[in-house]
Amino acid sequence: MSQFQSPWELYQSRIPNDLDVEMEPMASCPSFPDPASDFDRNIPRICGVCGDKATGFHFNAMTCEGCKGFFRRSMKRKAMFTCPFNGDCKITKDNRRHCQACRLKRCVDIGMMKEFILTDEEVQRKRDMIMKRKEEEALKESLKPKLQEEQQRVIEVLLEAHRKTYDPTYSDFSKFRPPVRDSSGKRSTTRSSSVVTQGFSSSEDSSDTFSSSPEPKMFSNLELSDDSDESSAMAIEFSHLSMLPHLADLVSYSIQKVIGFAKMIPGFKDLTAEDQIALLKSSAIEVIMLRSNQSFSLEDMSWTCGNNDFKYKISDVTQAGHSLDLLEPLVRFQISLKKLNLHEEEHVLLMAICILSPDRPGVQDTALVESIQDNLSEILQTYILCRHPPPGNRLLYAKMIQKLADLRSLNEEHSKQYRCLSFLPEHSMQLTPLVLEVFGNEIS
């Protein structure tokens, strides 16, 4: 049997995980093509002996289970059969039991070989090997990371928080001061900077900034009075910053939504109001950049938020006072983040991890913030291992953490450009009170 060792080793990798069927090796035979390459699985396979439905290659030929067993038993018993007729019986599914001699002859004629029949000891060894492999696979499966019930609950809470605070229709954008892409001339409007905040004041996201009492000064402008003076928003000379009012409203709106999302992160409300504020002031622009990736298009490198009025290109943002020192790395960041093809679960976890960073300026209880972030990071790593298929999951967690580092650099550049922008009164007066409060005050 040693001369068949190579074909047998080749066959071992094709053995099915079924202990009820005796396994036979398969060697190549010129008259029968390789089933893995030449047989269409949708085409019925026919037994070469009797024409019944074949179950695969047995002893080097395509046969049914009945003819496989008949050949094995005949060879093991070294049976000698005699045809009661003329020795040329036509074997069919219905008469295959009538003439064993012609049936065995037919088995040999189609290429079945007794050398491929396993001994009882070999069959037992093969069964033991299959059982061992099944046990190893079961052990491997048991050791594979699994999302725990509590981890799944956190993910579901974050998904709900994101869906409540992110409107994919961008319908609220029509409440902003209108976008003006003409950089020359003057623009008059009957809208004031309070128009959009009037809409915020009734939303559930802004109904209570923090539950802590007394309410801290920071974010006290989250709900603005409807009696705001509208005159300051009229007949303003915008110079080259014609898009500043609209984008200021957009950013103010986005800050509101980030606050709403943060308040629903499990553990966030366990922090003091001061630490909540410190985290939000430091991370707001970074989370806005993360959120905006949902509307970013790789086709034209723009942010598409509904109709063409709310389709933002780099040139639009430059007309709001930001330079390419910020916009070029921002676009590169958006491209690389988009290409990670994150699941929504991964996206919301990344935003939560970004907010819960213990090294933010002004954070007092760094240990508690770090423990919340560590829990979120563990959930993210487990989710990637369990739910994100290869090859996309390769080094995905490390790549996502690198994105947080990239956001820090973007944050620093944004702060620098914001300070230059807000230095001039004619520009700062176009910003909303919330934007001024979040980005205007440094945390020592």
Side-chain angles (χ1 to χ4, degrees):
M1 181 170 166
S2 60
Q3 66 268 31
F4 297 102
Q5 188 65 31
S6 295
W8 168 234
E9 292 175 350
L10 179 64
Y11 175 77
Q12 282 181 325
S13 62
R14 301 178 182 173
I15 296 175
N17 292 330
D18 187 351
L19 298 180
D20 297 329
V21 179
E22 181 177 349
M23 307 302 167
E24 299 91 3
M26 179 183 71
S28 58
C29 177
S31 59
F32 291 92
D34 183 356
S37 59
D38 293 338
F39 275 91
D40 187 333
R41 292 183 178 182
N42 296 322
I43 299 177
R45 301 182 182 185
I46 305 301
C47 175
V49 178
C50 69
D52 197 0
K53 182 179 179 181
T55 57
F57 275 83
H58 306 296
F59 312 125
N60 197 48
M62 180 70 72
T63 71
C64 63
E65 288 296 311
C67 292
K68 177 190 78 171
F70 166 76
F71 182 78
R72 180 180 62 245
R73 292 189 298 273
S74 300
M75 292 297 103
K76 284 188 174 182
R77 294 200 305 264
K78 298 181 180 180
M80 301 294 293
F81 301 118
T82 302
C83 177
F85 306 106
N86 298 324
D88 58 353
C89 300
K90 180 176 176 58
I91 306 300
T92 67
K93 173 184 176 181
D94 298 324
N95 70 5
R96 62 191 179 191
R97 295 177 181 273
H98 296 171
C99 183
Q100 293 176 313
C102 290
R103 187 182 187 186
L104 182 60
K105 179 177 180 297
R106 179 61 181 164
C107 289
V108 175
D109 288 345
I110 68 169
M112 298 181 77
M113 303 173 69
K114 66 178 181 179
E115 292 86 354
F116 275 32
I117 299 175
L118 301 181
T119 65
D120 293 340
E121 292 78 12
E122 289 171 330
V123 170
Q124 187 59 46
R125 283 200 302 270
K126 188 55 56 183
R127 288 177 174 171
D128 292 343
M129 182 186 73
I130 294 173
M131 179 62 73
K132 181 179 179 181
R133 185 168 61 194
K134 284 188 173 182
E135 292 173 351
E136 291 174 348
E137 290 175 353
L139 178 61
K140 183 179 179 180
E141 183 65 23
S142 67
L143 297 176
K144 184 179 179 181
K146 290 182 176 61
L147 278 171
Q148 300 174 4
E149 184 176 343
E150 177 61 22
Q151 292 178 321
Q152 185 62 49
R153 189 191 70 82
V154 171
I155 292 175
E156 291 171 358
V157 169
L158 292 177
L159 286 172
E160 182 182 8
H162 179 58
R163 291 164 185 170
K164 282 185 175 181
T165 57
Y166 191 95
D167 177 14
T169 69
Y170 309 102
S171 58
D172 286 337
F173 281 35
S174 61
K175 301 176 184 178
F176 304 161
R177 287 170 285 179
V180 179
R181 293 178 169 85
D182 184 2
S183 61
S184 63
K186 299 181 179 181
R187 182 178 72 95
S188 297
T189 179
T190 58
R191 293 176 181 265
S192 72
S193 60
S194 66
V195 170
V196 69
T197 55
Q198 290 172 13
F200 292 154
S201 62
S202 61
S203 68
E204 67 173 340
D205 293 334
S206 60
S207 58
D208 61 328
T209 308
F210 296 101
S211 58
S212 305
S213 180
E215 182 180 358
K217 179 179 182 298
M218 301 298 185
F219 296 96
S220 58
N221 286 316
L222 200 57
E223 294 182 35
L224 301 178
S225 170
D226 290 345
D227 298 325
S228 300
D229 182 11
E230 297 184 2
S231 60
S232 62
M234 300 180 64
I236 300 298
E237 175 64 48
F238 286 99
S239 179
H240 61 290
L241 301 187
S242 61
M243 287 291 290
L244 180 58
H246 176 77
L247 290 183
D249 286 350
L250 190 157
V251 172
S252 183
Y253 172 86
S254 299
I255 292 172
Q256 294 265 359
K257 298 306 180 182
V258 170
I259 294 170
F261 173 79
K263 290 193 295 182
M264 287 184 268
I265 298 174
F268 184 80
K269 284 192 172 182
D270 296 337
L271 303 171
T272 64
E274 290 73 20
D275 278 354
Q276 292 180 40
I277 291 167
L279 292 173
L280 283 167
K281 282 173 65 72
S282 300
S283 66
I285 192 63
E286 297 178 18
V287 182
I288 289 172
M289 291 174 179
L290 280 173
R291 284 164 55 95
S292 70
N293 194 248
Q294 193 164 332
S295 63
F296 186 77
S297 172
L298 291 175
E299 294 180 0
D300 56 5
M301 305 302 168
S302 68
W303 292 265
T304 303
C305 303
N307 60 45
N308 286 335
D309 284 343
F310 308 127
K311 183 183 182 72
Y312 307 104
K313 300 180 180 180
I314 292 179
S315 58
D316 295 327
V317 189
T318 59
Q319 292 180 60
H322 291 294
S323 73
L324 294 181
D325 289 340
L326 171 66
L327 299 178
E328 286 183 350
L330 175 59
V331 170
R332 287 197 298 270
F333 170 83
Q334 297 290 346
I335 294 171
S336 61
L337 181 61
K338 200 77 172 181
K339 289 184 176 180
L340 290 181
N341 293 315
L342 298 183
H343 296 180
E344 188 179 15
E345 292 85 350
E346 294 159 344
H347 185 74
V348 296
L349 281 165
L350 185 61
M351 289 194 297
I353 291 170
C354 179
I355 294 172
L356 274 299
S357 297
D359 60 339
R360 298 290 188 184
V363 173
Q364 298 299 314
D365 194 346
T366 57
L368 179 54
V369 175
E370 185 174 15
S371 67
I372 299 173
Q373 188 191 57
D374 286 346
N375 182 50
L376 294 168
S377 298
E378 182 180 349
I379 295 173
L380 175 58
Q381 293 179 74
T382 305
Y383 179 89
I384 292 172
L385 287 172
C386 297
R387 304 287 177 81
H388 201 123
N393 63 357
R394 184 175 181 273
L395 301 178
L396 180 58
Y397 178 75
K399 293 174 183 177
M400 293 177 69
I401 297 304
Q402 178 59 48
K403 292 292 167 277
L404 297 182
D406 296 340
L407 283 169
R408 291 297 180 96
S409 298
L410 290 168
N411 193 343
E412 292 177 6
E413 182 61 33
H414 174 269
S415 297
K416 182 169 63 176
Q417 295 194 16
Y418 171 82
R419 285 192 292 269
C420 295
L421 175 68
S422 61
F423 181 76
L424 297 175
E426 62 267 27
H427 296 156
S428 63
M429 68 188 300
Q430 301 309 311
L431 305 176
T432 68
L434 183 57
V435 169
L436 288 168
E437 191 162 356
V438 172
F439 299 142
N441 295 331
E442 297 293 335
I443 299 178
S444 58

